[in-house]
Amino acid sequence: MTEASAAPSPDGVLPKTYDPVLTEARWQAAWEEAGAFHPDPAAGGEPFAVVIPPPNVTGSLHMGHGFETALIDTIVRFQRLQGKNVLCLPGTDHASIAVQTLLEKQIKAEGGSKDDLGRDAFLERAWAWKGESGGTIVGQLRRLGYSVDWRRERFTLDPGLSAAVVEAFVRLHEQGLIYRGEYLVNWCPASGSAVSDLEVEMKELDGHLWHFRYPLSGEPAADGIDHLVVATTRPETLLGDTGVAVHPTDPRYAALVGQTITLPLVGRQIPIVADEHVDPAFGTGCVKVTPAHDPNDFAIGSRHGLPLITVMAKDGRMNGVAGRFAGLDRFEARKAVVAAMQAEGFLVKVEPHRHSVPFSDRGKVPVEPLLSTQWFVKAEPLAARCREALDGGAPRFVPERWEKVYRDWLTDIRDWCISRQLWWGHRIPAWFVVSETGGVISEATPYVVARDGAEARVKAEAAYGEASRAAGRELQLEQDPDVLDTWFSSGLWPFSTLGWPDPNAADLGRWYPTSVLVTGFDIIFFWVARMTMLAGAMRPLGAGKAWMPFADVMIHGLVRDENNRKMSKSAGNGIDPLPLIERYGADALRFALVREVAGAGQDIRLDYDRASGSSATVEAARNFANKLWNATRFALMNLGGETPASLGTPDPARLQLADRWILSRLERVKRETAQRYASYGLGEAAKGLYEFAWNEVCDWTIELLKRRLNPRPAAEGEPPSAEVLADQQVARAVLAKVLAELLVLLHPLMPHLSEELWHGLTGAPEGTFLALQSWPAAEEAALDADLEASFAELIEAIRVVRNLRAVAGLKPSQGAPVLFITGRQELAAVLREGSADITTLTKAESVTVLDPAAAAARPAARALAAVTGELQVLLPLEGLVDLDALRARLEKDIAKATKEIKGLSGRLANPNFAGKAPPEVVAECQANLAEAEAQAALARGRLADLG
RNA sequence: GCCCGAUUAGCUCAGCGGUAGAGCGCCUGCCUUACAAGCAGGAUGUCGCUGGUUCGAAACCGGCAUCGGGCACCA
């Protein structure tokens, strides 16, 4: 331990407080230099693999990533201690639209535009940004102590992964699962790109409902009707109306179906059609139909053969078809159309109307349903395969309830628009044979899908070469300028990172499918489902094993800020993990986050004072780290230079009561903790270890061992006896064992601190790591439930004595005789065996244990007295007794017992209880009642003695 | 409209069929040579409301209320 913060100071003692910053940096460097987390696919051991959800290179990480990192790292470190061959693979995501939006904003702020810059220069800038942001992110992940294999770090746009993207696209296309066509898509005018359904967020807004008069073209009907009234929230779209729909059974309009309307402002003749979609009860029961600008209208239009008339351009302005409104922005056009309708007498009324408006997640503007030629993935066949797998239990969701969310989304799934009119991303591997359509790309331009330009040329040559030459044209190819949805590459992550599509890739063979995916519920659709769908399409994967990319999916909640708000970049309320790491240490932050997570899958709230940069929760975890530091410090000062190895297993024959107790507790905690880690009960594991370490190890065991670790000489100047020295060795061995194993159990949660302390305690050489040790072996024989129960009574007895001393106001330095009276032989035996311990922990002058008969024979003394269970505790302190405090204490005992008697006897008096409850419950109840009654009687007796 | 969470001590949350728990905060006393980032002791709850099931409900079931989230969406 060179330069260790744990290095002994000149006087040979560790500092009193733990300073995490240097220690953490040192171990991170040591682990990495040694390649501690760089697994060998050829090595033995059961494989365990996790690919981390790659953070977007959009800047830096916030606390949510810190939380996820803490969870994943705890899991993989535990599995490593279990002896598995663990791969934890890191990486980042290029985040196509997010990064491009961000960069365009930057460029705009500098007074430029991406189009001025050009595609190549823009991409250069994007790569520079990636370098910067990616570096920041990797630095942050390192500071958290993430035990990933940095040598296998991947980026979704790196050459290997890009090749995987192309391969996946080509294969999907070959299977007929990718198609290109003109459909109504969600168009984001801000990004200038199509986006998928998932990237659209509905927002409730206050808008208006405009009612317009649409005149019938022909003569008024028999009943004098010469127009219909339609209502719309989007007047500007009326320029593209190609019909009006009514419900087929609506008697008001039945006679009008088939007639035509003259569209105001435009003059187009449009039919009145009958369609089930119309709700006769809403508004007037008449709906204007704009198939090119609304998904529902698109559906109505296609059922009735209505033409599609697009009146808006991709930039959100009205196009030439919009006539006098051409060139107006869509929101200006709305006002202008309303004004024109009003001027021409077609506006009937305007009502305020609250409705949902689709917004683009990234662009933060309303999306426009627009007709556009795009690439799509046919989703249903892939979803069906996933649903079938789910019926077979794959993957397993933790907590279980998320399975339903996943399944529901896979049911009634819509096709996935995967093309984006962006630059930053994977270029679509399709080449248009533009020589066929006069050098331009149109919907009609034929294309070939290929792995590269050369393959494209071969394919195009085969398909169009001859005909082309015959027509005297030179074959001319142009790659599709668009890129793929960022989630297309993320969807391949669990296998593209392992070497797919190379079927012989060692990592793929060894670690696919991965063991568990740990992620937030907010990307179950975006990511989890896309991974399972794409994996299903790409099988076989790996060595022909299961195709589902992960066995388990652990879904965690979101980290919310101190005001219970979701952290987000736009809200500016993200909490940066680094300042908290600087202040409290990465281990403290990790522990604090994981400890909060017990209610599986629930969001967690991190308290944080922005003004001071402090967090009480993290501070509590830091204090825990310091507690462990000091416990180890104590051990180093008291083990006489020995180590857990040199001390060996303590001789069972020489173990004292407290030794057997803590060893039994250790064994139980060891089992519980392993079970919790293995089943993703990480919060429970953290809480359990916190309580065990602080209460049972530090507050009780260390305090109890002190007496034996530092034996007083029998007489002045005389060396301790051989017996005492032997016991000292036992005490040392117990302390060393408990601490050493505790550090292993804590390691997944607090890797740096445990590594540091373990080295200090064991003297392990530098190149040896706790991170690569084994989980301590199970020792069944150490478990002793009866002993644990009776030791709990001893603890309770000590507490009562301490309480009496506090009530009476005894000074800490002041000794007092302690007298226990009990009729229960087992309890008396434990108290006698533990009398030396009691002496130490209660400042007893003497400890006497009597049975009631013997006690009755003694002269009654004025004493501090309390009763617990079947035990009377007396501190005979003639003259020093605060009688009032003592009476209050006894009265409290009586009140407590009385309340219990009332409850228990009431229950026992109920004949149904005695008759129907299990006999052991009834017996327990009776025993408790007897005890409470005895307790009340004893306390009353004591009270009477006081006079 | 459909679905899913949550509601327990001042705060953050465990508990999920047998007499209410932890951490933080609070009160009292302690610098007891591991630790004041600590030690010992203490106070604090109609477990959202309401029916039901049960010998017994904070826990299980039904309804309601409030808060949060997801999906769908009628112009």
Side-chain angles (χ1 to χ4, degrees):
Chain A
M1 276 199 298
T2 52
E3 295 174 289
S5 55
S9 53
D11 60 357
V13 179
L14 300 188
K16 280 188 170 187
T17 54
Y18 171 51
D19 172 19
V21 174
L22 281 178
T23 309
E24 290 179 352
R26 196 160 36 76
W27 287 114
Q28 283 160 17
W31 288 327
E32 199 166 334
E33 272 163 35
F37 310 126
H38 180 58
D40 177 1
E46 190 185 327
F48 190 92
V50 176
V51 290
I52 79 163
N56 290 345
V57 287
T58 46
S60 59
L61 303 184
H62 57 68
M63 201 54 73
H65 298 100
F67 177 46
E68 189 170 271
T69 297
L71 298 176
I72 296 176
D73 198 48
T74 299
I75 292 168
V76 299
R77 282 183 184 268
F78 169 70
Q79 295 294 347
R80 216 175 267 122
L81 293 170
Q82 293 291 305
K84 300 206 179 143
N85 186 358
V86 174
L87 169 66
C88 187
L89 187 145
T92 44
D93 194 299
H94 69 285
S96 173
I97 192 166
V99 166
Q100 178 148 347
T101 305
L102 181 155
L103 289 177
E104 280 184 31
K105 220 172 268 177
Q106 278 182 9
I107 293 167
K108 197 176 167 193
E110 293 162 13
S113 80
K114 80 170 201 303
D115 295 304
D116 296 343
L117 212 54
R119 188 164 187 147
D120 290 344
F122 181 87
L123 288 179
E124 208 172 294
R125 180 161 177 154
W127 277 102
W129 167 265
K130 182 266 164 186
E132 204 176 304
S133 171
T136 303
I137 289 168
V138 165
Q140 287 177 303
L141 293 177
R142 280 195 161 93
R143 286 294 298 274
L144 283 159
Y146 218 164
S147 66
V148 296
D149 181 0
W150 288 112
R151 295 188 226 176
R152 284 185 169 89
E153 182 190 347
R154 304 310 299 267
F155 175 57
T156 46
L157 220 43
D158 70 24
L161 270 63
S162 298
V165 164
V166 168
E167 185 65 29
F169 189 99
V170 171
R171 290 196 196 176
L172 283 166
H173 186 257
E174 282 167 357
Q175 295 174 46
L177 292 169
I178 280 184
Y179 62 92
R180 181 171 184 266
E182 186 180 41
Y183 296 89
L184 208 55
V185 299
N186 304 298
W187 186 266
C188 170
S191 315
S193 175
V195 296
S196 71
D197 295 332
L198 285 178
E199 289 158 279
V200 174
E201 189 193 354
M202 302 303 272
K203 276 194 197 173
E204 281 260 301
L205 290 183
D206 287 316
H208 300 279
L209 196 55
W210 285 274
H211 295 252
F212 294 136
R213 182 193 315 270
Y214 273 26
L216 290 174
S217 304
E219 293 301 307
D223 50 9
I225 293 180
D226 65 353
H227 70 273
L228 291 177
V229 174
V230 297
T232 181
T233 54
R234 305 201 50 203
E236 69 280 13
T237 63
L238 79 78
L239 303 170
D241 282 3
T242 57
V244 169
V246 297
H247 196 269
T249 61
D250 194 329
R252 293 173 293 178
Y253 308 117
L256 300 177
V257 172
Q259 295 200 31
T260 54
I261 293 265
T262 303
L263 185 62
L265 307 185
V266 180
R268 183 160 55 237
Q269 301 299 305
I270 60 175
I272 297 170
V273 300
D275 196 279
E276 296 278 350
H277 170 76
V278 181
D279 175 3
F282 185 89
T284 58
C286 300
V287 182
K288 65 193 258 325
V289 183
T290 322
H293 290 281
D294 181 278
N296 289 311
D297 292 4
F298 182 87
I300 296 175
S302 59
R303 283 194 286 271
H304 300 280
L306 302 179
L308 296 146
I309 297 179
T310 297
V311 295
M312 198 183 293
K314 298 273 165 70
D315 62 357
R317 291 171 184 279
M318 307 311 286
N319 65 13
V321 179
R324 59 177 141 146
F325 301 99
L328 287 180
D329 172 78
R330 51 186 170 153
F331 303 110
E332 293 166 7
R334 177 171 306 170
K335 288 180 201 156
V337 167
V338 171
M341 290 293 277
Q342 183 167 23
E344 297 187 25
F346 293 114
L347 178 63
V348 178
K349 62 173 173 175
V350 188
E351 292 176 328
H353 183 62
R354 192 165 176 79
H355 63 138
S356 301
V357 179
F359 270 70
S360 156
D361 257 1
R362 288 293 165 194
K364 303 293 172 200
V365 297
V367 297
E368 202 58 54
L370 275 188
L371 277 178
S372 174
T373 303
Q374 302 285 346
W375 294 89
F376 297 87
V377 168
K378 208 178 273 180
E380 172 53 25
L382 301 177
R385 197 170 284 159
C386 292
R387 293 196 302 266
E388 196 181 308
L390 194 58
D391 291 338
R396 183 173 70 106
F397 279 83
V398 179
E400 224 175 311
R401 68 188 147 92
W402 293 109
E403 180 187 313
K404 183 175 157 52
V405 175
Y406 168 79
R407 184 191 293 277
D408 287 352
W409 191 73
L410 288 171
T411 310
D412 296 325
I413 194 166
R414 281 170 294 180
D415 284 354
W416 173 19
C417 175
I418 51 170
S419 43
R420 296 289 180 275
Q421 288 63 55
L422 302 169
W423 289 344
W424 177 239
H426 300 94
R427 193 99 175 246
I428 291 173
W431 280 260
F432 291 99
V433 189
V434 292
S435 45
E436 296 293 305
T437 49
V440 297
I441 300 173
S442 73
E443 227 237 306
T445 311
Y447 60 86
V448 291
V449 167
R451 288 170 181 81
D452 53 43
E455 188 184 309
R457 185 149 287 278
V458 172
K459 284 187 172 176
E461 183 65 39
Y464 307 101
E466 209 170 311
S468 188
R469 268 187 300 279
R473 290 193 300 267
E474 177 104 359
L475 202 62
Q476 203 186 331
L477 297 186
E478 202 175 308
Q479 187 175 1
D480 191 321
D482 291 349
V483 301
L484 287 164
D485 181 3
T486 206
W487 296 103
F488 189 88
S489 57
S490 320
L492 309 172
W493 187 253
F495 43 97
S496 63
T497 53
L498 297 179
W500 186 88
D502 175 2
N504 300 315
D507 288 359
L508 192 66
R510 183 70 164 128
W511 285 295
Y512 192 89
T514 67
S515 308
V516 59
L517 177 80
V518 179
T519 195
F521 60 79
D522 50 333
I523 53 174
I524 290 178
F525 307 147
F526 277 116
W527 195 42
V528 180
R530 259 75 177 268
M531 286 191 281
T532 59
M533 286 166 62
L534 288 175
M538 293 305 127
R539 58 195 188 153
L541 284 152
K545 296 179 289 188
W547 58 271
M548 187 55 70
F550 20 75
D552 297 343
V553 179
M554 179 196 180
I555 299 291
H556 63 248
L558 270 30
V559 181
R560 317 191 78 100
D561 74 358
E562 66 278 15
N563 298 316
N564 208 19
R565 295 225 170 78
K566 198 192 280 189
M567 285 190 199
S568 78
K569 273 218 170 71
S570 51
N573 65 337
I575 298 174
D576 181 354
L578 275 185
L580 284 169
I581 290 176
E582 298 278 350
R583 186 174 182 134
Y584 300 113
D587 285 345
L589 178 61
R590 292 169 52 130
F591 192 85
L593 290 168
V594 175
R595 200 172 121 87
E596 290 295 317
V597 81
Q602 231 56 269
D603 287 354
I604 63 169
R605 192 191 299 202
L606 184 70
D607 74 328
Y608 183 61
D609 179 11
R610 276 171 207 274
S612 67
S614 64
S615 163
T617 309
V618 184
E619 187 171 314
R622 187 273 314 264
N623 293 352
F624 179 54
N626 193 235
K627 189 74 182 172
L628 295 164
W629 172 268
N630 274 291
T632 308
R633 181 166 175 258
F634 172 82
L636 293 178
M637 292 163 74
N638 286 280
L639 292 181
E642 302 235 41
T643 66
S646 73
L647 288 159
T649 305
D651 178 0
R654 285 192 168 273
L655 290 178
Q656 298 207 4
L657 184 67
D659 301 336
R660 282 181 278 126
W661 170 72
I662 193 64
L663 291 174
S664 178
R665 291 293 306 140
L666 175 67
E667 188 59 25
R668 200 171 299 285
V669 169
K670 196 194 297 180
R671 295 168 138 211
E672 273 174 11
T673 304
Q675 194 274 329
R676 287 168 174 167
Y677 279 142
S679 58
Y680 312 114
L682 308 183
E684 291 170 277
K687 285 182 190 186
L689 286 172
Y690 180 96
E691 283 174 19
F692 174 69
W694 202 307
N695 302 331
E696 301 182 62
V697 176
C698 293
D699 290 346
W700 289 98
T701 301
I702 288 184
E703 292 307 320
L704 287 167
L705 289 177
K706 277 179 180 171
R707 170 178 58 84
R708 295 157 58 202
L709 290 166
N710 286 303
R712 293 220 183 117
E716 197 72 31
E718 263 183 48
S721 68
E723 188 67 20
V724 166
L725 287 176
D727 181 58
Q728 184 187 40
Q729 282 301 99
V730 171
R732 284 173 173 171
V734 169
L735 176 61
K737 180 183 171 64
V738 170
L739 253 189
E741 293 198 0
L742 174 61
L743 290 172
V744 185
L745 309 196
L746 278 165
H747 181 260
L749 295 158
M750 308 186 105
H752 312 88
L753 174 71
S754 56
E755 186 77 74
E756 174 84 359
L757 297 180
W758 184 80
H759 274 258
L761 192 64
T762 62
E766 263 190 79
T768 302
F769 297 111
L770 168 58
L772 302 178
Q773 299 304 303
S774 295
W775 191 259
E779 292 167 65
E780 293 284 331
L783 282 176
D784 187 340
D786 292 342
L787 173 70
E788 287 179 39
S790 53
F791 202 84
E793 291 188 300
L794 176 64
I795 286 176
E796 178 58 20
I798 290 171
R799 285 219 165 100
V800 171
V801 175
R802 285 170 167 173
N803 173 260
L804 279 178
R805 294 180 51 103
V807 166
L810 260 64
K811 289 212 159 56
S813 55
Q814 190 171 1
V818 173
L819 174 61
F820 294 115
I821 303 168
T822 181
R824 254 185 63 215
Q825 289 311 306
E826 318 85 82
L827 179 54
V830 169
L831 292 171
R832 287 199 184 96
E833 194 180 354
S835 63
D837 292 333
I838 295 165
T839 303
T840 313
L841 297 188
T842 64
K843 288 270 173 17
E845 277 173 359
S846 61
V847 174
T848 313
V849 183
L850 298 176
D851 64 32
R858 293 186 144 208
R862 210 169 243 194
L864 296 173
V867 176
T868 173
E870 292 162 76
L871 177 68
Q872 297 180 71
V873 181
L874 299 175
L875 272 62
L877 276 174
E878 199 77 35
L880 277 173
V881 179
D882 177 342
L883 281 178
D884 288 341
L886 186 51
R887 280 196 193 94
R889 163 77 222 220
L890 284 167
E891 271 156 12
K892 200 178 125 192
D893 288 344
I894 292 167
K896 193 179 156 204
T898 308
K899 190 181 161 199
E900 213 173 315
I901 290 164
K902 201 180 153 198
L904 290 167
S905 55
R907 216 191 310 174
L908 285 163
N910 181 347
N912 286 328
F913 176 68
K916 295 189 180 172
E920 61 272 20
V921 172
V922 178
E924 195 189 329
C925 203
Q926 280 161 341
N928 288 344
L929 179 61
E931 193 179 303
E933 278 168 345
Q935 184 165 345
L938 292 171
R940 284 203 184 90
R942 278 295 150 201
L943 201 54
D945 286 349
L946 290 178

